């Protein structure tokens, strides 16, 4: 491609698509035209990639996930195809503002947070490493809700991201499959074998929409297949309803389509609604049917299935892939149980994402059985055989067997099914994998030690550095060459420039410019003027008690109290930046958002503190907003209660953009500390061992903290005594959680240590040469947190897949 050719093709494409000349174009028409051109170009590579995969017959992996938090795709695709510069120049000649066109694309927000974004980074790395790997998910009509702040409170609005269509997807109606719910299972005999006949079920049509996932400046184009629920023509034939029963027919259609209507907005919390279970089965049944159809069509033998196909389940949400694969092999392919079981367990691998008990999925047996009668029978049989083995091993230790059973106390325990029915179980950071082995899944580790392993999460440096922070990327290339663009471990070369004051001056200037840009965004969105010379101290992530936005807020209140007492207090000016969504039904998290706004109101307009403190909340945190904040951040708040954050990935995005982590020894923070060394990170608070010991043995009293530390007493009292400009008792629930519910997340216990950590940040920042050296050190060591490293480990350690070279 070159500029002249691009211009010509663009004008032609515009006219054929819109039947008018470019002079009359609306920005949306221009966006659609560019999108269609990029898609056409990728299509050729896409077809070629699939042909290469078929011809070479190498093993492929399918990543099953209920969430893919992709963000925008157009600029990404331009960069990956190496078209960005050409389009920019061509558009300049056509007087089209590319930035404006790019901003028209809605975020594909089909995920809640870290788990969904991880799936998106993994697709990016698979294609960029030329690995044959594809995503399978749900095409939610409404993605993660849009957050509006009204009077300091979160309000949720639907996210109609498909309103103007989606240029990237291709509907594949001919590849639709049927998914069955409800009904009964009748047993019959055939050739001396028991067969299972599923009858009187409801049928839902699963229609795939495929999007191309192009690799970074290579020829690989993998597939993200998202399923949409529709009624079958047969079912929606009005004659099958009582004649004239129009209303019921419409209601039925609506009910079926509801399966792919919305993404459940709960993070780290299991949603017990039956529609969620329907979504989960819909995803795995449709995906498995299509994988097996295709596999057989290309002549594959099912006995070789697990040598040719790997299936990975992102958390337990798609765990029904295990009994569904068993069902297909046994009921439809006439395979015996033992062989089906061998193939299934060798095909499927599982990632655990959390140890929070409220997030562990379990479904009431009666509900599960009536929705999925045949799947239930298979789960029951898996459980019988597993427990039988346990019984032989542990004799009559019923307590232990009960703790491991898949069916127990009236529930189907999804994580137990995942461990038993897969060949690999991984945690997402070293400490998390250790806690799984030693505590949460210790019994399972005893039975299946060979299944357990660690795969520390990562992020794609292409979106989170190359795309979002182009000036830093250019400086890196100017300094160490361009090898790092394809191999992020090369970033370590920056360590040779740690003491190079010219280089550090440029690092400073880039960060300062990024801060100026963010300051303008903040003023546009909130009206708040922040000082670009202040420290940008950032906590952006889902709002959740375990992530402890409250700890951050208590510290801000303490700083404010000190400044009111002594406006000349020797601290550097700070801007505290927050963003994040609360689950709509999570009252405490919503009140935390209200508290951030209440403090912002109070502090930002108090001139007595001489602008030393500003508090900002940016609404509607999503991938695109994240891309604007990370490049401007200086302090990365990673302050979860130790043991609670399985890995975190936000921590890695900050580090890669030169921010210093202020964090607990939790999740991947520990590995960040190992990478950069103690002097290049600020650590505080209880360790995971200490936290877990308190949970086991008791001995923590929040009231002791209240009585022993006058700062805590003052601040907590301010939450409820009218000091804050809010309704009376507005923050009573937050106060009660910290005191009367004995501070489940050790906010008060870690307060003093957190205050000290902030003093340390203040000191370090006061020495710019030292701060910049730390910043460079963090960027230099961020290569190991690339999702390319993570995906290479999955590919060789779990999936056993190799790169497939796709030619021009
Ligand atoms: C990275 C990311 C997350 C995860 O952040 P954590 O700090 O690891 O919880 C959530 N949401 C978005 C939009 C992200 O980009």
């Amino acid at each position: 491609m070159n500029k002249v050719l691009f211009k010509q093709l663009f004008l032609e494409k515009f006219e054929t698509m819109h039947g008018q000349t470019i002079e009359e174009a609306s920005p949306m028409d221009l966006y659609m035209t560019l999108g269609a051109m990029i898609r056409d170009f990728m299509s050729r590579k896409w077809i070629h990639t699939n042909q290469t995969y078929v011809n070479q017959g190498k093993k492929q992996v399918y990543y099953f996930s209920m969430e893919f938090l992709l963000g925008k795709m157009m600029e990404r695709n331009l960069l990956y195809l190496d078209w960005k510069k050409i389009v920019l120049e061509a558009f300049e000649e056509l007087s089209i503002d590319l930035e404006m066109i790019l901003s028209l694309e809605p975020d594909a927000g089909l995920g809640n947070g870290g788990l969904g974004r991880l799936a998106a980074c993994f697709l990016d790395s698979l294609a960029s490493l030329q690995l044959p790997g594809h995503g399978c998910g749900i095409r939610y009509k409404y993605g993660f809700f849009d957050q509006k702040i009204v009077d300091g409170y979160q309000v949720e609005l639907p996210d109609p991201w498909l309103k103007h269509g989606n240029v990237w997807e291709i509907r594949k109606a001919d590849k639709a499959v049927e998914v069955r719910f409800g009904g009964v299972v009748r047993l019959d005999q055939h050739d001396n074998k028991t067969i299972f006949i599923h009858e009187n079920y409801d049928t839902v049509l699963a229609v795939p929409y495929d999007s191309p996932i192009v690799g970074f400046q290579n020829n690989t184009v993998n597939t993200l297949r998202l399923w949409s629920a529709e009624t079958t023509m047969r079912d929606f034939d009005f004659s099958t309803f009582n004649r004239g029963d129009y209303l019921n027919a419409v209601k039925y259609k609506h009910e079926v389509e509801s399966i792919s209507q919305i993404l459940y907005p709960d993070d780290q919390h299991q949603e017990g609604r039956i529609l969620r279970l329907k979504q989960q089965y819909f995803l795995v049944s449709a995906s498995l049917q299509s994988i097996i159809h295709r596999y057989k069509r290309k002549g594959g033998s099912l006995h070789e299935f697990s040598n040719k196909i790997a299936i990975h389940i992102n958390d337990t949400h798609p765990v029904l892939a295990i009994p569904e694969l068993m069902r297909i092999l046994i009921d439809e392919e006439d395979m015996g149980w033992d062989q089906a079981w061998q193939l299934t367990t060798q095909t499927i691998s599982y990632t655990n994402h959390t140890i929070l008990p409220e997030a562990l999925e379990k479904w009431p047996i009666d509900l599960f059985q009536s929705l999925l009668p045949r799947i239930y029978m298979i789960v029951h049989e898996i459980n019988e055989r597993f427990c039988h083995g346990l019984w032989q091993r542990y004799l009559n230790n019923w307590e232990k067997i009960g703790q491991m059973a898949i069916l127990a106390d009236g529930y189907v325990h999804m994580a137990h099914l995942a461990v038993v029915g897969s060949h690999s179980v991984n945690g997402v950071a070293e400490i998390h994998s250790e806690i799984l082995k030693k505590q949460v899944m210790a019994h399972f580790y005893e039975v299946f030690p060979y299944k357990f392993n660690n795969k520390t999460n990562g992020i794609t440096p292409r979106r989170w550095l190359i795309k979002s922070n182009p000036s830093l990327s250019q400086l890196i290339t100017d300094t160490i060459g361009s090898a790092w663009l394809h191999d992020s471990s090369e970033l370590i070369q920056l360590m040779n420039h740690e003491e190079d004051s010219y280089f550090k001056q440029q690092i400073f200037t880039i960060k300062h410019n990024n801060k100026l840009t963010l300051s303008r965004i903040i003023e546009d969105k909130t009206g708040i003027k922040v000082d670009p010379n202040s420290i940008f101290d950032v906590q952006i992530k889902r709002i959740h008690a375990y992530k402890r936005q409250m700890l951050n807020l208590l510290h801000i209140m303490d700083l404010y109290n000190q400044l009111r007492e002594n406006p000349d207090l020797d601290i550097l000016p700070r801007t505290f930046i927050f963003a994040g969504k609360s689950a709509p039904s999570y009252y405490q998290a919503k009140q935390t958002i209200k508290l951030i706004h209440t403090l912002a109101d109070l502090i930002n307009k108090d001139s007595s503190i001489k602008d030393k403190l500003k508090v900002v909340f940016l609404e509607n945190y999503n991938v695109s907003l994240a891309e604007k904040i990370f490049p401007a951040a200086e302090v990365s708040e990673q302050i979860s209660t130790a043991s609670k954050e399985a890995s975190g990935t936000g921590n890695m995005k900050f580090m890669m953009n030169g921010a210093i982590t202020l964090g607990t020894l939790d999740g991947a923070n520990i590995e960040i500390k190992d990478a950069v060394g103690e002097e290049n990170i600020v650590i505080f608070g209880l360790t995971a061992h200490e936290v877990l010991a308190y949970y086991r043995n008791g001995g923590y009293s929040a009231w002791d903290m209240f009585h022993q530390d006058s700062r805590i007493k003052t601040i907590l009292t301010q939450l409820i005594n009218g000091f804050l400009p809010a309704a009376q008792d507005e923050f009573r629930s937050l106060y009660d959680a910290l005191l009367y519910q004995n501070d489940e997340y050790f906010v008060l216990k870690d307060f003093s240590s957190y205050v000290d950590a902030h003093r340390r940040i203040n000191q370090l920042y006061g020495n710019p040469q030292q701060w910049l050296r730390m910043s460079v050190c963090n960027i230099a060591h961020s290569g190991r947190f690339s999702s390319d490293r993570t995906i290479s480990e999955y590919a060789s350690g779990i999936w056993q897949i190799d790169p497939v070279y796709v030619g021009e």
Side-chain angles (χ1 to χ4, degrees):
M1 189 58 70
N2 61 57
K3 186 180 69 182
V4 177
L5 180 61
F6 174 83
K7 257 174 73 174
Q8 181 199 332
L9 291 174
F10 184 80
L11 294 172
E12 279 171 23
K13 187 82 190 170
F14 184 87
E15 293 183 3
T16 51
M17 275 179 76
H18 300 283
Q20 55 187 15
T21 62
I22 196 107
E23 286 74 34
E24 308 159 74
S26 75
M28 197 37 123
D29 292 345
L30 295 171
Y31 165 80
M32 288 293 176
T33 308
L34 180 57
M37 261 185 87
I38 298 169
R39 198 192 51 215
D40 292 352
F41 186 77
M42 287 192 297
S43 287
R44 266 162 270 153
K45 289 177 181 249
W46 202 3
I47 292 166
H48 191 210
T49 300
N50 282 322
Q51 282 170 346
T52 309
Y53 289 170
V54 170
N55 293 343
Q56 299 203 7
K58 298 272 185 56
K59 190 173 183 182
Q60 303 190 41
V61 65
Y62 293 87
Y63 195 81
F64 283 17
S65 180
M66 288 286 283
E67 306 190 5
F68 287 93
L69 189 48
L70 299 165
K72 299 190 201 304
M73 296 303 277
M74 184 174 277
E75 187 180 2
R76 173 198 184 277
N77 290 339
L78 288 176
L79 282 170
Y80 288 29
L81 296 171
D82 218 356
W83 273 24
K84 174 104 192 266
K85 209 167 151 265
I86 294 166
V87 175
L88 202 59
E89 289 170 7
F91 272 18
E92 227 156 55
E93 292 180 12
L94 294 167
S95 304
I96 301 170
D97 177 355
L98 179 60
E99 283 306 311
M100 193 272 290
I101 299 297
L102 295 175
S103 74
L104 295 177
E105 179 174 11
D107 267 47
L110 308 183
N112 272 282
L115 175 146
R117 183 55 230 176
L118 185 77
C121 284
F122 280 5
L123 292 182
D124 189 285
S125 286
L126 281 165
S128 297
L129 294 171
Q130 299 181 276
L131 287 163
H134 314 279
C136 297
I138 294 179
R139 182 180 179 268
Y140 302 107
K141 184 167 175 194
Y142 297 98
F144 195 22
F145 66 80
D146 277 334
Q147 178 194 56
K148 281 263 172 299
I149 301 296
V150 178
D151 191 25
Y153 297 100
Q154 168 175 297
V155 174
E156 302 90 22
L157 297 174
D159 160 39
W161 71 293
L162 293 169
K163 194 169 59 185
H164 299 286
N166 173 1
V167 277
W168 309 118
E169 70 186 10
I170 296 179
R171 180 184 163 96
K172 298 268 172 74
D174 59 319
K175 302 259 166 47
V177 297
E178 293 186 358
V179 178
R180 299 169 175 183
F181 293 100
V184 290
V185 177
R186 185 165 58 80
L187 273 61
D188 206 344
Q189 294 291 318
H190 187 257
D191 288 347
N192 278 333
K193 260 173 67 182
T194 306
I195 57 168
F196 301 88
I197 300 159
H198 191 185
E199 296 175 326
N200 295 328
Y201 47 79
D202 293 321
T203 301
V204 172
L205 193 68
V207 181
Y209 286 73
D210 289 354
S211 297
I213 306 292
V214 64
F216 183 66
Q217 297 175 8
N218 63 31
N219 294 311
T220 298
V221 181
N222 290 331
T223 302
L224 171 59
R225 172 161 283 188
L226 300 178
W227 296 95
S228 182
E230 299 183 8
T231 46
T232 60
M233 282 328 248
R234 184 151 36 82
D235 274 14
F236 199 56
D237 181 349
F238 281 84
S239 63
T240 65
F241 284 85
N242 293 332
R243 198 153 25 155
D245 200 356
Y246 174 74
L247 290 181
N248 271 323
V250 173
K251 187 167 152 237
Y252 176 75
K253 180 173 190 292
H254 188 77
E255 229 173 82
V256 166
E257 289 171 355
S258 72
I259 292 174
S260 57
Q261 205 74 354
I262 77 147
L263 165 76
Y264 278 103
D266 300 286
D267 193 58
Q268 309 286 352
H269 193 275
Q270 108 120 359
E271 169 60 65
R273 268 182 263 239
I274 191 159
L275 183 59
R276 170 75 177 182
L277 186 58
K278 277 192 189 172
Q279 290 184 331
Q280 296 182 347
Y281 183 66
F282 175 75
L283 163 63
V284 302
S285 180
S287 304
L288 278 168
Q289 288 184 59
S290 87
I291 290 167
I292 290 173
H293 286 172
R294 185 182 166 82
Y295 179 75
K296 287 171 60 181
R297 201 168 58 239
K298 303 293 175 196
S301 146
L302 283 177
H303 304 286
E304 287 291 306
F305 191 70
S306 60
N307 297 328
K308 297 293 178 184
I309 305 276
I311 291 172
H312 198 87
I313 57 176
N314 195 20
D315 211 322
T316 55
H317 317 149
V319 75
L320 296 181
I322 291 165
E324 175 67 2
L325 183 51
M326 289 294 286
R327 181 191 71 76
I328 295 172
L329 294 176
I330 293 170
D331 294 1
E332 295 181 9
E333 304 296 338
D334 209 26
M335 203 177 270
W337 179 279
D338 291 333
Q339 197 191 0
W341 182 244
Q342 167 126 351
L343 284 181
T344 298
T345 52
Q346 283 177 1
T347 301
I348 291 176
S349 48
Y350 154 63
T351 296
N352 173 284
H353 280 272
T354 180
I355 61 161
L356 296 187
E358 64 270 29
L360 296 181
E361 290 193 293
K362 53 181 193 175
W363 292 95
I365 285 178
D366 47 359
L367 180 152
F368 187 103
Q369 185 173 14
S370 66
L371 184 70
L372 305 166
R374 178 61 185 135
I375 293 299
Y376 177 74
M377 291 172 75
I378 292 169
V379 171
H380 188 273
E381 182 68 23
I382 295 171
N383 183 56
E384 287 288 303
R385 288 170 185 244
F386 173 58
C387 288
H388 181 75
L390 291 181
W391 185 76
Q392 290 181 325
R393 179 175 180 142
Y394 295 114
L395 297 174
N396 38 20
N397 188 347
W398 289 110
E399 191 184 330
K400 188 160 184 169
I401 295 171
Q403 285 168 3
M404 302 171 77
I406 298 166
L407 302 177
D409 42 79
Y411 289 95
V412 185
H413 295 264
M414 307 293 253
H416 299 186
L417 178 57
V419 177
V420 174
S422 64
H423 64 91
S424 169
V425 177
N426 75 279
V428 290
E430 277 163 19
I431 186 182
H432 169 60
S433 297
E434 284 306 304
I435 292 174
L436 284 179
K437 289 196 290 189
K438 303 229 167 85
Q439 327 239 350
V440 182
M441 293 193 171
H443 291 341
F444 286 103
Y445 180 53
E446 197 171 274
V447 178
F448 306 116
Y450 51 89
K451 291 191 184 184
F452 285 79
N453 65 92
N454 174 249
K455 296 286 170 282
T456 298
N457 280 167
I459 56 165
T460 169
R462 291 165 289 275
R463 182 173 293 262
W464 298 111
L465 179 51
I466 298 174
K467 172 176 183 293
S468 61
N469 200 343
S471 40
L472 179 56
S473 303
Q474 189 59 54
L475 173 63
I476 294 171
T477 299
D478 293 345
T479 309
I480 61 171
S482 57
W484 74 277
L485 293 171
H486 295 274
D487 175 5
S488 41
S489 68
E490 287 289 322
L491 287 170
I492 198 72
Q493 302 299 337
L494 290 172
M495 288 307 284
N496 299 329
H497 303 268
E498 217 189 8
E499 303 299 344
D500 172 348
S501 51
Y502 176 67
F503 175 68
K504 285 195 286 186
Q505 182 57 40
Q506 288 173 296
I507 289 278
F508 173 88
T509 304
I510 287 165
K511 183 64 82 179
H512 190 75
N513 287 335
N514 291 338
K515 287 168 73 182
L516 284 171
T517 304
L518 184 60
S519 304
R520 282 191 286 272
I521 293 171
I522 291 171
E523 190 172 356
D524 279 358
K525 290 185 186 252
T526 69
I528 300 167
K529 282 194 166 59
V530 303
D531 173 4
N533 294 306
S534 64
I535 306 175
F536 278 23
D537 183 317
V538 183
Q539 189 173 21
I540 50 176
K541 49 181 76 248
R542 289 299 294 262
I543 312 291
H544 201 293
Y546 88 82
K547 292 179 182 276
R548 299 200 296 192
Q549 279 87 2
M550 278 304 290
L551 179 57
N552 195 338
L553 294 172
L554 297 189
H555 169 250
I556 293 170
M557 290 175 76
D558 180 51
L559 270 185
Y560 181 56
N561 287 337
Q562 289 184 57
L563 276 169
R564 281 189 313 134
E565 229 164 72
N566 173 16
D568 294 316
L569 186 74
D570 186 20
I571 61 160
L572 299 168
R574 282 270 191 129
T575 300
F576 290 96
I577 298 168
F578 292 88
K581 293 174 185 175
S582 160
S585 60
Y586 189 175
Y587 181 70
Q588 207 182 309
K590 289 187 134 176
Q591 290 307 104
T592 305
I593 292 175
K594 176 64 177 171
L595 178 57
I596 297 171
H597 285 91
T598 305
L599 285 171
D601 273 354
L602 179 68
I603 293 172
N604 296 344
K605 61 178 180 232
D606 185 341
S607 55
S608 79
I609 61 167
K610 302 183 171 173
D611 280 347
K612 285 202 169 172
L613 227 51
K614 283 271 151 44
V615 179
V616 172
F617 186 97
L618 288 169
E619 73 184 0
N620 204 36
Y621 183 50
N622 60 14
V623 170
S624 290
L625 181 59
E627 287 173 36
K628 299 188 176 110
I629 300 175
F630 287 113
E634 295 178 297
V635 178
S636 162
E637 297 268 359
Q638 307 301 333
I639 61 178
S640 54
T641 309
S643 80
K644 300 284 181 184
E645 188 75 272
S647 164
T649 49
N651 45 5
M652 302 167 185
K653 300 167 197 164
F654 279 107
M655 175 197 196
M656 199 171 272
N657 284 276
I660 307 305
T661 305
L662 195 187
T664 48
L665 288 173
D666 201 15
N669 300 350
I670 297 173
E671 289 159 71
I672 292 177
K673 173 182 141 269
D674 293 344
V676 300
E678 296 192 329
E679 60 296 356
N680 295 302
I681 188 168
V682 177
I683 296 291
F684 75 98
L686 292 174
T687 63
H689 277 116
E690 290 166 338
V691 168
L692 294 171
Y694 274 124
Y695 284 132
R696 234 187 342 266
N697 310 323
Y700 173 54
S701 161
W703 282 107
D704 285 352
M705 300 294 122
F706 182 85
H707 291 301
Q708 284 163 17
D709 190 328
S710 64
R711 298 168 301 184
I712 291 178
K713 189 183 240 168
T714 303
I715 298 160
L716 291 195
T717 306
Q718 286 170 335
L719 284 180
I720 55 161
N721 72 357
F723 172 79
L724 296 172
Q728 200 189 342
D729 282 339
E730 179 79 74
F731 301 117
R732 174 70 63 172
S733 64
L734 296 177
Y735 176 88
D736 284 352
L738 291 175
L739 286 171
Y740 289 96
Q741 291 153 41
N742 202 35
D743 184 17
E744 191 183 342
Y745 297 100
F746 300 97
V747 171
L748 305 183
K749 181 78 187 167
D750 276 349
F751 176 77
S752 180
S753 160
Y754 183 59
V755 170
D756 294 344
H758 270 292
R759 283 212 193 98
R760 179 104 187 96
I761 289 280
N762 193 69
Q763 261 174 15
L764 291 165
Y765 197 87
N767 179 345
Q769 283 310 306
Q770 185 176 6
W771 185 267
L772 289 168
R773 195 193 47 69
M774 291 172 71
S775 181
V776 170
C777 176
N778 271 269
I779 300 166
H781 288 90
S782 68
R784 79 189 231 192
F785 300 102
S786 162
S787 47
D788 294 350
R789 187 268 310 147
T790 313
I791 281 296
S792 302
E793 292 177 6
Y794 275 93
S796 62
I798 300 179
W799 302 328
Q800 253 86 59
I801 58 165
D802 294 313
V804 173
Y805 175 74
V806 180
E808 285 286 336

